[in-house]
Structures are given as structure tokens and as C-alpha cells.
Amino acid sequence: MWFQIILIASLVGIAIYLIRSTPSPRHLAIRRLLVLVALVAGVVVVVAPGLLTQLASLVGIGRGSDLLFYVFIVAALLYVVNEYKRSVQLARANTQLAREITLTEARLVDRIDALEAELAAANRPRG
Amino acid sequence: MAPMVAEPSPVLPGALDATTWVVIPLYNEQSVIGAVVTELRQHFEHIVCVDDGSTDGSAETAEAAGARVLRHPHNLGQGAALQTGIAYARSQPTAEFLVTFDADGQHRVVDALAMLHQARDENLGVVFGSRFLDDRTKPGVLKKIVLKTAVAVTNLTTGLTLTDAHNGLRVLRRDAAEAVNLKQDRMAHATEIVVQLGRSGLPWREHPVEVLYTDYSKAKGQSLLNSINILVDLIIN
């Protein structure tokens, strides 16, 4: 029962993160903390496997491996969402870069055309 | 390359419109773009095609027909191309109005001219083309459902009450063009541009236009599934 609430809350949280948030140093810090916590928790659970089952029964799940499985799914979803958002950001940066290249080239060509026209106009009366 | 002097238009009295820039996002439309540019060139001096990485010689065809062609280094999407074209056009000191126009020949030049006329007459910032204001355009049933859904979503998100959505024919006054900064590279830009123009607070109207559904444009038309992409692009930040 307890864990159902936690699980649903995490999924809703991921959905909100997907839709709402924009990248910020705060998010980066939170992501790094999460990775750190996961690593430490991993080591602890490897050293003392019994802890996982105890924790599982505390939140209303029978076996520790089930808890691990649920947490893994949430973590994987978070990863996918994060990568998706990152790829959107990269695509936007790429577009801006490409646009700048295009506009810079256009400005140069326009300038060269204008100068050539001036030159042609300047040379014409002599002939 | 460009004509030395702007000759008066052979078909219509009066000189070419030199203060309006027609912006056309262009991607693999070689079979139609030549005719589209040629017809526009009878009325407008400045046609800007943004070639979005076409692989079929569209850019060369547009250039030969008298358009100024800007080239994206690779394909980025229609929204990206439109934004590039708008950025280029509004950087021109003599530009007073921008017309956005589709490359596939589904818009009519007479509609664009009428919209410009209305914008100048009524001093409007924006004129949106709408195919649902008169009965010239005859979309199929499925197309109508897709479009009307898009209209509902657009109106819900923008606060404007338009009768058409994703219609590529628009007239933007210079200050309106400056309010546009499209981040949606793909099709969702058509909703995003309405959001941004709505937020600018500039006066706007809709103008009836005819959309020509040729077999060619039908084959390239938007599918029901693609509207899901548009929705997701808009929702996810």
C-alpha cells in the first residue's frame, strides 16, 4: 500500500519533469546527487542483502528483489525522459547554429553582390 | 544575375511591391517551386526561399525563377526554415511586410495580395489566411477533422479564436515579424507562431483564402498520426 503511493508519486513526478522543467544547474545537482545515492545504496545492498528485504516489507512489498525491480523501472524511465529532453535541447542548439551559418552566408553574399554592383557602376562611364 | 532595373510587371499595371518580402520554406518541391516563384515574381520584388536541405535541385530551380535562396546546411524542419526566412527578411531595412507562403503551390497569389491590401488598409499587424471563411476550399472529411482538431487545440493554447490552423499563408507587419521566434523546428511551429503573435498584442484579422488541394499536395498532406507528433512537441518543453 505504502509503496503504491510512492510509485505513483514518482511516475507523476517524472511526467511533470518531462512536461515542465527546463535545464538548470539545480537539476544537474539533483541528478548527480541521485546517482551518488544510487551508488552508495548499491554498495550497501550488496554488502547486506537482508536490508533490502527489510526495507521492502517496511513499504509493503514482500521481497527485496521486487522492490529493486520497481526502483529500477522508475530509474530507467527517469533516464529515458532525461535523455529525451537533452536531445531536444541539442536539436535546438543545432538549429540555431545552422541558422547562424545560413544567415551569415546570406549577409556575405548580399554584401559581395552590392560591392560588385558598385564596382560595375564605377567602371562603366570610362568605357 | 538579378535584373539591373526593376521592370514594371508585364501582367499588372504598377511596379513590383518592393517593401514586402515573401518567405517560402522549401524542401524537395522541385516540380512546383519554379511556377510558384515565377508567379510571385510578377507582383513582388523580393522572394526568399529557405532551402531546408533539399536533395532534388529545388534550390537551383527557385534561384533560376528569381528567388533569393538561403541554404540550410542540412534538413532542420519547416519551422526552422520559416524562422530563418523571417530573420533574414526582417533584417532588411526596406522590409515593411512579410508574407509567409508554402512552396507546394497550394496557396493563391491573389489571396496574398488581398491580405496585404487588408493589412495596409486597416493597419493590421497580422493577417492569417483561413480556408474555412468561405466555401472555395473543399477538404476531405478526414482532413477537415484533423484541421478542426488543430484549430481547437490552437485556440485553447493561444487565446485567439481562429477558424483555421496550420495555414501557411500569413501576412506579418515588420513589428509582428520581430515578435516571432520559433523554437519548434517541425510542424508544431504553426501553432507556436499563433501563440507568439497573439502575445504580441498586435491587431490581427483572418482573411478567407483558397487552398488548392492538388493530387501533389494531397500526397504530401499531413496525416492524422502526424498531428499526434505536433501535440507532443507542443506539450513537452
Side-chain angles (χ1 to χ4, degrees):
Chain A
M1 182 58 209
W2 261 112
F3 194 67
Q4 279 173 324
I5 295 168
I6 296 171
L7 206 56
I8 289 169
S10 333
L11 292 177
V12 170
I14 291 174
I16 292 170
Y17 176 63
L18 173 67
I19 293 167
R20 283 269 150 245
S21 87
T22 43
S24 73
R26 252 184 77 224
H27 287 142
L28 182 63
I30 292 172
R31 279 204 302 276
R32 288 173 172 171
L33 273 177
L34 280 177
V35 171
L36 197 69
V37 168
L39 285 173
V40 172
V43 172
V44 170
V45 167
V46 167
V47 172
L51 266 181
L52 197 61
T53 306
Q54 275 176 18
L55 189 65
S57 57
L58 209 68
V59 292
I61 303 172
R63 297 186 310 172
S65 56
D66 285 345
L67 177 64
L68 198 64
F69 182 60
Y70 293 139
V71 171
F72 177 73
I73 287 175
V74 170
L77 260 177
L78 201 58
Y79 177 78
V80 168
V81 165
N82 212 30
E83 282 304 299
Y84 177 79
K85 288 176 78 88
R86 216 169 66 91
S87 79
V88 170
Q89 296 298 333
L90 282 175
R92 285 188 182 167
N94 171 52
T95 298
Q96 276 174 7
L97 188 62
R99 178 169 301 128
E100 278 315 310
I101 290 171
T102 304
L103 291 175
T104 304
E105 191 206 354
R107 270 195 295 271
L108 276 174
V109 169
D110 286 350
R111 188 82 191 107
I112 290 168
D113 282 354
L115 285 174
E116 276 177 351
E118 263 176 48
L119 222 90
N123 286 337
R124 206 168 299 137
R126 293 181 190 211
Chain B
M1 204 164 57
M4 308 266 265
V5 210
E7 317 99 309
S9 160
V11 275
L12 280 182
L16 293 178
D17 185 340
T19 57
T20 302
W21 295 68
V22 182
V23 175
I24 307 176
L26 176 60
Y27 181 61
N28 289 351
E29 304 277 6
Q30 197 194 9
S31 56
V32 279
I33 187 64
V36 169
V37 171
T38 304
E39 202 191 346
L40 282 165
R41 279 284 286 157
Q42 291 172 359
H43 305 275
F44 299 100
E45 193 175 328
H46 303 292
I47 317 291
V48 179
C49 288
V50 183
D51 176 44
D52 195 23
S54 297
T55 51
D56 66 347
S58 290
E60 290 74 20
T61 308
E63 212 151 46
R68 173 80 174 90
V69 177
L70 315 183
R71 288 179 175 81
H72 276 171
H74 53 255
N75 182 251
L76 296 166
Q78 194 186 37
L82 191 63
Q83 178 61 35
T84 301
I86 290 173
Y88 177 76
R90 73 188 174 197
S91 74
Q92 308 298 323
T94 53
E96 287 170 15
F97 283 94
L98 270 68
V99 174
T100 68
F101 208 85
D102 283 358
D104 60 4
Q106 62 168 293
H107 294 319
R108 302 192 55 204
V109 177
V110 284
D111 287 331
L113 292 169
M115 285 164 69
L116 261 171
H117 199 74
Q118 189 185 17
R120 286 194 164 111
D121 267 10
E122 301 176 23
N123 201 17
L124 299 168
V126 189
V127 181
F128 297 102
S130 171
R131 76 200 91 183
F132 293 117
L133 285 179
D134 60 21
D135 52 12
R136 283 182 294 169
T137 306
K138 289 161 187 71
V141 178
L142 197 64
K143 184 102 192 162
K144 210 165 174 173
I145 294 172
V146 173
L147 282 167
K148 281 297 176 185
T149 313
V151 170
V153 172
T154 304
N155 288 347
L156 214 67
T157 47
T158 60
L160 303 186
T161 44
L162 297 180
T163 56
D164 196 0
H166 296 236
N167 189 318
L169 185 50
R170 313 171 189 88
V171 168
L172 312 179
R173 202 170 57 196
R174 187 186 187 90
D175 49 351
E178 268 151 19
V180 174
N181 179 19
L182 300 173
K183 296 198 181 76
Q184 297 285 352
D185 287 348
R186 284 170 294 174
M187 291 315 294
H189 73 272
T191 301
E192 193 187 21
I193 196 171
V194 179
V195 173
Q196 293 176 350
L197 291 170
R199 261 188 218 139
S200 74
L202 293 166
W204 62 273
R205 290 280 180 283
E206 278 193 308
H207 192 281
V209 301
E210 181 178 7
V211 172
L212 306 166
Y213 293 114
T214 56
D215 287 340
Y216 176 77
S217 74
K218 270 184 204 154
K220 292 197 81 164
Q222 294 209 41
S223 72
L224 207 53
L225 272 175
N226 199 26
S227 40
I228 292 172
N229 286 335
I230 293 173
L231 216 57
V232 171
D233 280 343
L234 285 172
I235 290 171
I236 290 172
N237 195 342

